[in-house]
């Protein structure tokens, strides 16, 4: 029985060990992540962002940020751990070491007469004949008798002096670290033990496996439903106009799960009247178009109206229930748009190409969602050939302000960015009527906006040129510069209620055929991963070219230095097509800022395959568009009459097709190639 008690006493120690093994490293990981986040004050500090409260660190917001399910579970487990430590500490004090002199109440070295005298006194108190208490009987037999025997019997005293116990050497024992009531299998506790074994060893792993498999079968690794991916893949079309991307975006299964209440009917009707001009309805048949719109699935109607309310910044009148649904829609939007982008650039053709036009439309929709700018602002007009969208992302700007500065020949967003600080200050204060604080807010946002440069090359590794069927390597350095010196930063987005990191998409595409030859996501927030990727890619490239270890080390150090100064390496491969000259374009599209995209022309000449293995000359030219003459017109007309005017009316597509054909015919007659660069 004593052995069973000792084994049950080990149960808290067993639980403490099993709890501490995963808890300690997980806590250290959480603390490291929290410390890394605190070390990066990279958000916008203009007054508009400050008033939005998104970055305000009030005590209530800190508590709400801390009181997540995982954090509270972590705290609870640490409380349980502390209680176990305290219990085990007190339990160890209760375990008494066998000391015969202290049991008899004597000092070490007492004489035999004193030992007998003390034994007789304790016998009067604890002997079964004198005291019927079972505990007294147990204490007399297990402690007093053994203590007296250990001090008076020569054999017992010798065993005590050698082994610390009057019974001699104690054998090695093994037990189960479980509570005593579970080890009593004679009665009903036997069933409890059986249930405990079945529950912990069989049912618990089975439940965990079922939950994990059910969730993994429903969601992808990016926590997007498989049903959403299927819908996006089905509805994605190569000719999908940017103005129609919204119709595909709202068909996500996550949005279909948002409840549609009866009380939402009247507020949604009012919201429809506010955003009706943004719904691409045919004004000639407005009644039929409205009826058709309301015949859609209620979840689709609700989602589109809430998104349009965000884009037009008309959300103040939403009810509390709609506000919760509105935040849920916006919270899911970046994740869903990223998956929609992947569905656009996923290989669709026999050559493994994706589609350019819907990919650009998805990124532009994401830009509008983050900056809360209506899609109609993408259309040219109002004194600006690129639309008012880039201006509307700046604080304190409105359509009236844009028209005022357009009269001063500031018709494009790049014109405003290229102005000197003094000229821009004078323009905004004198023409637009901004205060000094308003001008300072604009300057802060302009300092946060990235300026992007891209250096692209296409080549066949180890060969002098590109021939049919070669595996061509795309090698691009993407560099981001900001006025405030930051590399990775959170965009100025006061109307988007959640934190959103900048992401970029690199696309190497042929605008004429609407094909994306190569694509890759570029991230500037994670410098460590970028260094690892660049180092590995450079090492593989140098080793493949037969470079010496010294040259490889030098090239790797240069690549690491580039990454630390704000560059990211984009590297990938595609198979060379048939013989011919290809006018490709590399797009670097930002999903958070409007007007910061980069477009670079890349000319690739593919030669005919030769049997002898000799290679002809390979021509790869980078043309950075800066407003040149002839080539700029050609490229703009080839890609839907200018990249900025993607949101043109659908009925003008036929006219644009004729214009592109005429422009292509004129472009082939031109023999001059000029360098040009354009940052949208």
């Amino acid at each position: 029985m004593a052995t069973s008690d000792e084994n049950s006493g080990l149960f808290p120690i067993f639980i403490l060990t099993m709890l501490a093994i995963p808890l300690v490293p997980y806590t250290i990981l959480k603390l490291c992540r929290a410390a890394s986040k605190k070390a990066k004050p990279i958000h916008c500090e203009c007054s508009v962002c400050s008033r939005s409260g998104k970055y305000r660190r009030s005590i209530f917001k800190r508590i709400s940020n801390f009181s997540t399910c995982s954090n509270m579970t972590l705290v609870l487990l640490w409380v349980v751990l502390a209680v176990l430590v305290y219990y085990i500490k007190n339990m160890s004090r209760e375990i008494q070491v066998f000391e015969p002199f202290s049991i008899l109440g004597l000092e070490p070295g007492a004489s035999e007469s004193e030992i007998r005298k003390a034994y007789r006194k304790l016998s009067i108190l604890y002997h079964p004949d004198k005291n019927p208490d079972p505990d007294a009987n147990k204490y007399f037999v297990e402690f007093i008798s053994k203590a007296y025997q250990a001090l008076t019997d020569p054999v017992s005293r010798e065993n005590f002096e050698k082994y610390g116990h009057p019974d001699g050497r104690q054998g090695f024992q093994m037990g189960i670290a479980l509570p005593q009531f579970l080890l009593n299998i004679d009665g009903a506790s036997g069933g409890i033990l059986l249930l405990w074994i079945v529950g912990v060893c069989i049912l618990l792993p089975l439940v965990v496996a079922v939950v994990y498999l059910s969730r993994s079968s429903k969601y992808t690794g990016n926590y997007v439903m498989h049903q959403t991916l299927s819908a996006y893949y089905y509805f994605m079309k190569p000719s999908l106009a940017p103005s129609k991307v919204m119709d595909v975006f709202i068909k996500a299964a996550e949005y279909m799960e948002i409840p549609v209440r009866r009380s939402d009917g009247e507020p949604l009707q009012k919201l429809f009247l506010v955003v009706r001009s943004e719904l691409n309805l045919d004004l000639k048949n407005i009644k039929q178009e409205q009826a058709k719109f309301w015949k859609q699935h209620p979840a689709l109607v609700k989602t589109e109206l809430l998104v349009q309310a965000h884009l037009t910044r008309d959300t103040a009148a939403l009810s509390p229930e709609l506000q919760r649904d509105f935040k849920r829609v916006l919270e899911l939007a970046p994740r869903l748009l990223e998956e929609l982008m992947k569905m656009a650039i996923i290989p669709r053709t026999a050559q493994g190409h994706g589609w350019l036009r819907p990919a650009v439309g998805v990124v532009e929709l994401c830009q509008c969602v983050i900056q809360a700018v209506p899609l109609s602002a993408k259309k040219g007009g109002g004194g600006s050939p690129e639309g008012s969208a880039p201006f509307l992302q700046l604080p304190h700007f409105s359509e009236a302000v844009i028209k005022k500065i357009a009269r001063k020949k500031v018709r494009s967003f790049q014109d405003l960015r290229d102005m000197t600080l003094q000229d821009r200050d004078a323009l905004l204060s004198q023409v637009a009527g901004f205060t000094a604080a308003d001008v300072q807010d604009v300057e802060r946002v302009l300092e946060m906006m990235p300026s992007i440069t891209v250096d692209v090359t296409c080549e066949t590794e180890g060969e002098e040129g590109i021939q049919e069927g070669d595996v061509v390597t795309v090698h691009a350095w993407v560099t981001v510069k900001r006025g405030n010196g930051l590399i990775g930063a959170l965009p100025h987005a006061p109307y988007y209620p959640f934190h959103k990191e900048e992401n970029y998409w690199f696309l190497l595409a042929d605008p004429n055929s609407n094909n994306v030859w190569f694509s890759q996501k570029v991230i500037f927030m994670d410098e460590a991963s970028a260094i690892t990727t660049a180092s590995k890619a450079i090492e593989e490239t140098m080793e493949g070219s037969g470079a010496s270890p010294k040259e490889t080390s030098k090239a790797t150090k240069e690549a690491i230095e580039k990454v630390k100064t704000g560059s990211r390496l984009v590297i990938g491969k595609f198979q060379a097509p048939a013989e011919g000259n290809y006018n490709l374009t590399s797009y670097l599209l930002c999903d958070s800022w409007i007007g910061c995209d980069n477009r670079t022309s890349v000319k690739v000449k593919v030669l005919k395959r030769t049997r002898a293995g000799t290679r002809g000359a390979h021509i790869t030219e980078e043309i950075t568009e800066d407003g040149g003459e002839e080539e700029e017109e050609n490229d703009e007309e080839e890609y839907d009459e200018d990249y900025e005017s993607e949101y043109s009316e659908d009925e003008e597509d036929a006219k644009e097709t004729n214009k592109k054909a005429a422009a292509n015919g004129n472009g082939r007659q031109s023999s001059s190639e000029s360098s040009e660069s354009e940052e949208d």
Side-chain angles (χ1 to χ4, degrees), residues 320-365:
E321 293 81 7
L322 286 179
Q323 283 285 357
R324 288 194 295 269
D325 298 338
F326 169 74
K327 289 186 177 181
R328 179 59 178 167
V329 169
L330 293 186
E331 183 182 12
L332 294 172
R335 192 189 313 164
L336 296 176
L337 286 169
E338 181 176 343
E339 295 302 318
L340 186 59
M341 178 68 176
K342 293 177 182 178
M343 292 299 104
I345 60 179
I346 193 173
R348 300 273 191 157
T349 65
Q351 295 78 21
H353 298 161
W355 296 328
L356 176 62
R357 194 181 188 194
V360 173
V362 171
V363 174
E364 290 186 340
L365 175 59

CSV table of all heavy atoms in Angstrom, one decimal, residues 320-365:
chain,number,residue,atom,x,y,z
A,320,PRO,N,-25.0,48.3,-36.7
A,320,PRO,CA,-24.0,47.5,-36.0
A,320,PRO,C,-23.8,46.1,-36.6
A,320,PRO,O,-22.7,45.6,-36.7
A,320,PRO,CB,-24.5,47.5,-34.6
A,320,PRO,CG,-25.4,48.7,-34.5
A,320,PRO,CD,-26.0,48.9,-35.8
A,321,GLU,N,-24.9,45.4,-37.0
A,321,GLU,CA,-24.8,44.1,-37.6
A,321,GLU,C,-24.1,44.1,-38.9
A,321,GLU,O,-23.2,43.3,-39.2
A,321,GLU,CB,-26.2,43.5,-37.8
A,321,GLU,CG,-26.9,43.1,-36.5
A,321,GLU,CD,-27.6,44.4,-35.9
A,321,GLU,OE1,-27.6,45.4,-36.6
A,321,GLU,OE2,-28.1,44.3,-34.8
A,322,LEU,N,-24.4,45.1,-39.7
A,322,LEU,CA,-23.7,45.3,-41.0
A,322,LEU,C,-22.3,45.7,-40.8
A,322,LEU,O,-21.4,45.3,-41.7
A,322,LEU,CB,-24.5,46.3,-41.9
A,322,LEU,CG,-25.8,45.8,-42.5
A,322,LEU,CD1,-26.4,46.9,-43.4
A,322,LEU,CD2,-25.6,44.6,-43.4
A,323,GLN,N,-22.0,46.4,-39.8
A,323,GLN,CA,-20.6,46.8,-39.5
A,323,GLN,C,-19.7,45.6,-39.2
A,323,GLN,O,-18.6,45.5,-39.7
A,323,GLN,CB,-20.5,47.8,-38.3
A,323,GLN,CG,-20.9,49.2,-38.7
A,323,GLN,CD,-19.9,50.0,-39.4
A,323,GLN,OE1,-18.8,49.5,-39.7
A,323,GLN,NE2,-20.2,51.2,-39.8
A,324,ARG,N,-20.3,44.6,-38.5
A,324,ARG,CA,-19.5,43.4,-38.2
A,324,ARG,C,-19.3,42.6,-39.5
A,324,ARG,O,-18.2,42.1,-39.7
A,324,ARG,CB,-20.3,42.6,-37.2
A,324,ARG,CG,-20.2,43.1,-35.8
A,324,ARG,CD,-20.7,42.1,-34.7
A,324,ARG,NE,-22.1,41.8,-34.9
A,324,ARG,CZ,-23.1,42.4,-34.3
A,324,ARG,NH1,-22.8,43.4,-33.5
A,324,ARG,NH2,-24.3,42.0,-34.5
A,325,ASP,N,-20.4,42.5,-40.3
A,325,ASP,CA,-20.2,41.8,-41.6
A,325,ASP,C,-19.3,42.5,-42.5
A,325,ASP,O,-18.5,41.9,-43.2
A,325,ASP,CB,-21.6,41.7,-42.3
A,325,ASP,CG,-22.6,40.8,-41.5
A,325,ASP,OD1,-22.1,40.0,-40.6
A,325,ASP,OD2,-23.8,41.0,-41.6
A,326,PHE,N,-19.3,43.9,-42.5
A,326,PHE,CA,-18.4,44.7,-43.3
A,326,PHE,C,-17.0,44.4,-42.9
A,326,PHE,O,-16.1,44.3,-43.8
A,326,PHE,CB,-18.8,46.2,-43.1
A,326,PHE,CG,-17.8,47.2,-43.6
A,326,PHE,CD1,-17.7,47.4,-45.0
A,326,PHE,CD2,-17.0,47.9,-42.8
A,326,PHE,CE1,-16.8,48.3,-45.5
A,326,PHE,CE2,-16.1,48.8,-43.3
A,326,PHE,CZ,-16.0,49.0,-44.7
A,327,LYS,N,-16.6,44.4,-41.7
A,327,LYS,CA,-15.3,44.1,-41.2
A,327,LYS,C,-14.8,42.7,-41.6
A,327,LYS,O,-13.7,42.5,-42.0
A,327,LYS,CB,-15.1,44.3,-39.7
A,327,LYS,CG,-15.2,45.8,-39.3
A,327,LYS,CD,-14.9,46.0,-37.8
A,327,LYS,CE,-15.0,47.5,-37.5
A,327,LYS,NZ,-14.7,47.7,-36.0
A,328,ARG,N,-15.8,41.8,-41.5
A,328,ARG,CA,-15.4,40.4,-41.9
A,328,ARG,C,-15.1,40.3,-43.4
A,328,ARG,O,-14.1,39.6,-43.8
A,328,ARG,CB,-16.6,39.5,-41.6
A,328,ARG,CG,-16.4,38.0,-42.0
A,328,ARG,CD,-15.2,37.4,-41.3
A,328,ARG,NE,-15.0,36.0,-41.6
A,328,ARG,CZ,-13.9,35.3,-41.3
A,328,ARG,NH1,-12.9,35.9,-40.7
A,328,ARG,NH2,-13.8,34.0,-41.6
A,329,VAL,N,-15.9,41.0,-44.2
A,329,VAL,CA,-15.6,41.1,-45.7
A,329,VAL,C,-14.2,41.6,-46.0
A,329,VAL,O,-13.5,41.1,-46.8
A,329,VAL,CB,-16.7,41.9,-46.4
A,329,VAL,CG1,-16.3,42.1,-47.8
A,329,VAL,CG2,-18.0,41.1,-46.4
A,330,LEU,N,-13.9,42.7,-45.3
A,330,LEU,CA,-12.6,43.4,-45.6
A,330,LEU,C,-11.4,42.5,-45.0
A,330,LEU,O,-10.3,42.5,-45.6
A,330,LEU,CB,-12.6,44.8,-44.9
A,330,LEU,CG,-13.5,45.8,-45.6
A,330,LEU,CD1,-13.3,47.2,-44.9
A,330,LEU,CD2,-13.3,45.9,-47.1
A,331,GLU,N,-11.7,41.9,-43.9
A,331,GLU,CA,-10.6,41.0,-43.3
A,331,GLU,C,-10.2,39.9,-44.2
A,331,GLU,O,-9.0,39.5,-44.4
A,331,GLU,CB,-11.1,40.5,-42.0
A,331,GLU,CG,-10.0,39.7,-41.2
A,331,GLU,CD,-10.5,39.1,-39.9
A,331,GLU,OE1,-11.8,39.1,-39.7
A,331,GLU,OE2,-9.7,38.6,-39.1
A,332,LEU,N,-11.2,39.3,-44.9
A,332,LEU,CA,-10.9,38.2,-45.8
A,332,LEU,C,-10.4,38.7,-47.2
A,332,LEU,O,-9.8,37.9,-48.0
A,332,LEU,CB,-12.2,37.4,-46.0
A,332,LEU,CG,-12.7,36.6,-44.8
A,332,LEU,CD1,-14.1,36.0,-45.1
A,332,LEU,CD2,-11.7,35.6,-44.4
A,333,ALA,N,-10.6,39.9,-47.6
A,333,ALA,CA,-10.4,40.4,-48.9
A,333,ALA,C,-8.9,40.2,-49.4
A,333,ALA,O,-8.7,39.6,-50.5
A,333,ALA,CB,-10.7,41.9,-49.0
A,334,PRO,N,-7.9,40.6,-48.7
A,334,PRO,CA,-6.5,40.4,-49.2
A,334,PRO,C,-6.2,38.9,-49.5
A,334,PRO,O,-5.5,38.6,-50.5
A,334,PRO,CB,-5.6,41.0,-48.1
A,334,PRO,CG,-6.5,42.0,-47.4
A,334,PRO,CD,-7.8,41.4,-47.4
A,335,ARG,N,-6.6,38.1,-48.5
A,335,ARG,CA,-6.3,36.6,-48.7
A,335,ARG,C,-7.0,36.1,-49.9
A,335,ARG,O,-6.4,35.3,-50.7
A,335,ARG,CB,-6.8,35.9,-47.4
A,335,ARG,CG,-6.3,34.5,-47.3
A,335,ARG,CD,-7.0,33.8,-46.1
A,335,ARG,NE,-6.9,34.7,-44.9
A,335,ARG,CZ,-7.7,34.5,-43.9
A,335,ARG,NH1,-8.6,33.5,-43.8
A,335,ARG,NH2,-7.6,35.3,-42.8
A,336,LEU,N,-8.3,36.4,-50.1
A,336,LEU,CA,-9.0,35.9,-51.3
A,336,LEU,C,-8.5,36.5,-52.6
A,336,LEU,O,-8.4,35.8,-53.6
A,336,LEU,CB,-10.5,36.3,-51.1
A,336,LEU,CG,-11.2,35.6,-49.9
A,336,LEU,CD1,-12.6,36.1,-49.8
A,336,LEU,CD2,-11.2,34.1,-50.0
A,337,LEU,N,-8.1,37.8,-52.6
A,337,LEU,CA,-7.6,38.4,-53.8
A,337,LEU,C,-6.2,37.8,-54.2
A,337,LEU,O,-5.9,37.6,-55.4
A,337,LEU,CB,-7.4,39.9,-53.6
A,337,LEU,CG,-8.8,40.7,-53.6
A,337,LEU,CD1,-8.5,42.1,-53.2
A,337,LEU,CD2,-9.4,40.7,-55.0
A,338,GLU,N,-5.5,37.4,-53.2
A,338,GLU,CA,-4.2,36.7,-53.5
A,338,GLU,C,-4.5,35.3,-54.2
A,338,GLU,O,-3.8,35.0,-55.2
A,338,GLU,CB,-3.4,36.5,-52.2
A,338,GLU,CG,-2.1,35.8,-52.5
A,338,GLU,CD,-1.2,35.7,-51.2
A,338,GLU,OE1,-1.5,36.4,-50.3
A,338,GLU,OE2,-0.3,34.9,-51.2
A,339,GLU,N,-5.5,34.6,-53.7
A,339,GLU,CA,-5.8,33.3,-54.3
A,339,GLU,C,-6.4,33.6,-55.7
A,339,GLU,O,-6.2,32.8,-56.7
A,339,GLU,CB,-6.8,32.6,-53.5
A,339,GLU,CG,-6.2,32.1,-52.1
A,339,GLU,CD,-5.0,31.2,-52.3
A,339,GLU,OE1,-5.0,30.4,-53.2
A,339,GLU,OE2,-4.0,31.4,-51.6
A,340,LEU,N,-7.2,34.6,-55.9
A,340,LEU,CA,-7.7,35.0,-57.2
A,340,LEU,C,-6.6,35.3,-58.2
A,340,LEU,O,-6.7,35.0,-59.4
A,340,LEU,CB,-8.7,36.1,-57.1
A,340,LEU,CG,-9.5,36.5,-58.3
A,340,LEU,CD1,-10.3,35.4,-58.8
A,340,LEU,CD2,-10.4,37.7,-58.0
A,341,MET,N,-5.6,36.0,-57.7
A,341,MET,CA,-4.4,36.3,-58.5
A,341,MET,C,-3.7,35.0,-59.0
A,341,MET,O,-3.3,34.9,-60.1
A,341,MET,CB,-3.5,37.2,-57.7
A,341,MET,CG,-2.2,37.5,-58.5
A,341,MET,SD,-2.5,38.6,-59.8
A,341,MET,CE,-0.9,39.0,-60.4
A,342,LYS,N,-3.6,34.0,-58.1
A,342,LYS,CA,-3.0,32.8,-58.4
A,342,LYS,C,-3.8,32.0,-59.5
A,342,LYS,O,-3.2,31.4,-60.3
A,342,LYS,CB,-2.8,31.9,-57.2
A,342,LYS,CG,-1.8,32.5,-56.2
A,342,LYS,CD,-1.7,31.6,-54.9
A,342,LYS,CE,-0.8,32.2,-53.9
A,342,LYS,NZ,-0.7,31.4,-52.7
A,343,MET,N,-5.1,32.2,-59.4
A,343,MET,CA,-6.0,31.5,-60.4
A,343,MET,C,-5.8,32.2,-61.8
A,343,MET,O,-6.1,31.6,-62.8
A,343,MET,CB,-7.4,31.6,-60.0
A,343,MET,CG,-7.8,30.7,-58.8
A,343,MET,SD,-7.5,29.0,-59.1
A,343,MET,CE,-6.0,28.7,-58.1
A,344,ALA,N,-5.4,33.5,-61.8
A,344,ALA,CA,-5.3,34.2,-63.1
A,344,ALA,C,-3.9,33.8,-63.7
A,344,ALA,O,-3.9,33.7,-64.9
A,344,ALA,CB,-5.3,35.7,-62.8
A,345,ILE,N,-2.9,33.6,-62.9
A,345,ILE,CA,-1.6,33.3,-63.5
A,345,ILE,C,-1.2,31.9,-63.5
A,345,ILE,O,-0.1,31.5,-63.9
A,345,ILE,CB,-0.5,34.1,-62.7
A,345,ILE,CG1,-0.5,33.7,-61.2
A,345,ILE,CG2,-0.7,35.6,-62.9
A,345,ILE,CD1,0.6,34.4,-60.4
A,346,ILE,N,-2.1,31.0,-63.0
A,346,ILE,CA,-1.8,29.6,-63.1
A,346,ILE,C,-1.7,29.1,-64.5
A,346,ILE,O,-2.4,29.7,-65.4
A,346,ILE,CB,-3.0,28.8,-62.3
A,346,ILE,CG1,-2.6,27.4,-62.1
A,346,ILE,CG2,-4.3,28.9,-63.1
A,346,ILE,CD1,-3.6,26.6,-61.2
A,347,PRO,N,-0.8,28.2,-64.9
A,347,PRO,CA,-0.7,27.8,-66.3
A,347,PRO,C,-2.0,27.3,-66.9
A,347,PRO,O,-2.6,26.4,-66.3
A,347,PRO,CB,0.4,26.7,-66.2
A,347,PRO,CG,1.2,27.0,-65.0
A,347,PRO,CD,0.2,27.6,-64.0
A,348,ARG,N,-2.4,27.9,-68.0
A,348,ARG,CA,-3.6,27.5,-68.6
A,348,ARG,C,-3.4,27.0,-70.0
A,348,ARG,O,-4.2,26.2,-70.5
A,348,ARG,CB,-4.6,28.7,-68.6
A,348,ARG,CG,-4.9,29.3,-67.3
A,348,ARG,CD,-6.1,28.6,-66.7
A,348,ARG,NE,-6.6,29.3,-65.5
A,348,ARG,CZ,-7.8,29.2,-65.0
A,348,ARG,NH1,-8.7,28.5,-65.7
A,348,ARG,NH2,-8.2,29.9,-64.0
A,349,THR,N,-2.4,27.5,-70.7
A,349,THR,CA,-2.2,27.2,-72.1
A,349,THR,C,-1.3,26.0,-72.2
A,349,THR,O,-0.7,25.5,-71.2
A,349,THR,CB,-1.6,28.4,-72.8
A,349,THR,OG1,-0.3,28.6,-72.3
A,349,THR,CG2,-2.4,29.6,-72.7
A,350,ALA,N,-1.1,25.5,-73.4
A,350,ALA,CA,-0.2,24.3,-73.7
A,350,ALA,C,1.2,24.7,-73.4
A,350,ALA,O,2.0,23.8,-73.0
A,350,ALA,CB,-0.3,23.9,-75.1
A,351,GLN,N,1.6,26.0,-73.5
A,351,GLN,CA,3.0,26.4,-73.2
A,351,GLN,C,3.2,26.7,-71.7
A,351,GLN,O,4.3,27.1,-71.3
A,351,GLN,CB,3.3,27.7,-74.0
A,351,GLN,CG,3.4,27.4,-75.5
A,351,GLN,CD,2.0,27.4,-76.1
A,351,GLN,OE1,1.0,27.9,-75.5
A,351,GLN,NE2,1.9,26.8,-77.3
A,352,GLY,N,2.1,26.5,-70.9
A,352,GLY,CA,2.2,26.8,-69.4
A,352,GLY,C,2.1,28.2,-69.1
A,352,GLY,O,2.7,28.7,-68.1
A,353,HIS,N,1.4,29.0,-69.9
A,353,HIS,CA,1.2,30.5,-69.6
A,353,HIS,C,-0.1,30.7,-68.9
A,353,HIS,O,-1.1,30.1,-69.1
A,353,HIS,CB,1.3,31.2,-70.9
A,353,HIS,CG,2.5,31.1,-71.7
A,353,HIS,ND1,2.7,31.4,-73.0
A,353,HIS,CD2,3.8,30.7,-71.3
A,353,HIS,CE1,3.9,31.2,-73.4
A,353,HIS,NE2,4.6,30.8,-72.4
A,354,GLY,N,0.0,31.8,-68.1
A,354,GLY,CA,-1.2,32.3,-67.4
A,354,GLY,C,-1.8,33.5,-68.2
A,354,GLY,O,-1.4,33.7,-69.4
A,355,TRP,N,-2.7,34.2,-67.6
A,355,TRP,CA,-3.4,35.3,-68.3
A,355,TRP,C,-3.1,36.6,-67.7
A,355,TRP,O,-3.2,36.8,-66.5
A,355,TRP,CB,-4.9,35.0,-68.3
A,355,TRP,CG,-5.4,33.8,-69.0
A,355,TRP,CD1,-4.8,33.2,-70.1
A,355,TRP,CD2,-6.5,32.9,-68.7
A,355,TRP,NE1,-5.4,32.1,-70.5
A,355,TRP,CE2,-6.5,31.9,-69.6
A,355,TRP,CE3,-7.4,33.0,-67.7
A,355,TRP,CZ2,-7.4,30.9,-69.6
A,355,TRP,CZ3,-8.4,32.0,-67.6
A,355,TRP,CH2,-8.4,30.9,-68.6
A,356,LEU,N,-2.7,37.6,-68.5
A,356,LEU,CA,-2.2,38.9,-68.1
A,356,LEU,C,-3.4,39.8,-67.7
A,356,LEU,O,-3.3,40.4,-66.6
A,356,LEU,CB,-1.4,39.5,-69.2
A,356,LEU,CG,-0.9,40.9,-68.8
A,356,LEU,CD1,0.0,40.9,-67.6
A,356,LEU,CD2,-0.1,41.5,-70.1
A,357,ARG,N,-4.4,39.9,-68.5
A,357,ARG,CA,-5.4,40.9,-68.3
A,357,ARG,C,-6.1,40.7,-67.0
A,357,ARG,O,-6.3,41.7,-66.2
A,357,ARG,CB,-6.4,41.0,-69.5
A,357,ARG,CG,-7.2,42.2,-69.5
A,357,ARG,CD,-8.2,42.2,-70.6
A,357,ARG,NE,-8.9,43.5,-70.7
A,357,ARG,CZ,-10.0,43.7,-71.4
A,357,ARG,NH1,-10.5,42.8,-72.1
A,357,ARG,NH2,-10.6,44.9,-71.4
A,358,PRO,N,-6.6,39.5,-66.7
A,358,PRO,CA,-7.3,39.4,-65.4
A,358,PRO,C,-6.3,39.5,-64.2
A,358,PRO,O,-6.7,40.0,-63.1
A,358,PRO,CB,-7.9,38.0,-65.4
A,358,PRO,CG,-7.1,37.3,-66.5
A,358,PRO,CD,-6.8,38.3,-67.5
A,359,ALA,N,-5.1,39.2,-64.4
A,359,ALA,CA,-4.1,39.3,-63.3
A,359,ALA,C,-3.9,40.8,-62.9
A,359,ALA,O,-3.9,41.2,-61.8
A,359,ALA,CB,-2.7,38.7,-63.7
A,360,VAL,N,-3.8,41.6,-63.9
A,360,VAL,CA,-3.7,43.1,-63.7
A,360,VAL,C,-5.0,43.6,-63.0
A,360,VAL,O,-4.9,44.4,-62.1
A,360,VAL,CB,-3.4,43.8,-65.0
A,360,VAL,CG1,-3.4,45.3,-64.8
A,360,VAL,CG2,-2.0,43.4,-65.6
A,361,GLY,N,-6.1,43.1,-63.5
A,361,GLY,CA,-7.4,43.6,-62.9
A,361,GLY,C,-7.5,43.2,-61.4
A,361,GLY,O,-8.0,44.0,-60.6
A,362,VAL,N,-7.0,42.0,-61.0
A,362,VAL,CA,-7.1,41.6,-59.7
A,362,VAL,C,-6.2,42.5,-58.8
A,362,VAL,O,-6.6,42.9,-57.7
A,362,VAL,CB,-6.6,40.1,-59.5
A,362,VAL,CG1,-6.5,39.7,-58.1
A,362,VAL,CG2,-7.6,39.2,-60.2
A,363,VAL,N,-5.0,42.8,-59.2
A,363,VAL,CA,-4.1,43.6,-58.4
A,363,VAL,C,-4.7,45.0,-58.3
A,363,VAL,O,-4.6,45.6,-57.2
A,363,VAL,CB,-2.7,43.7,-59.1
A,363,VAL,CG1,-1.8,44.7,-58.4
A,363,VAL,CG2,-2.0,42.3,-59.1
A,364,GLU,N,-5.3,45.5,-59.4
A,364,GLU,CA,-5.9,46.9,-59.3
A,364,GLU,C,-7.1,46.9,-58.4
A,364,GLU,O,-7.3,47.9,-57.6
A,364,GLU,CB,-6.2,47.3,-60.7
A,364,GLU,CG,-5.0,47.6,-61.5
A,364,GLU,CD,-5.4,48.3,-62.9
A,364,GLU,OE1,-6.5,48.1,-63.3
A,364,GLU,OE2,-4.5,48.9,-63.5
A,365,LEU,N,-7.9,45.8,-58.3
A,365,LEU,CA,-9.0,45.8,-57.4
A,365,LEU,C,-8.4,45.7,-56.0
A,365,LEU,O,-9.0,46.4,-55.1
A,365,LEU,CB,-9.8,44.5,-57.7
A,365,LEU,CG,-11.0,44.3,-56.7
A,365,LEU,CD1,-11.9,45.4,-56.6
A,365,LEU,CD2,-11.7,43.0,-57.0
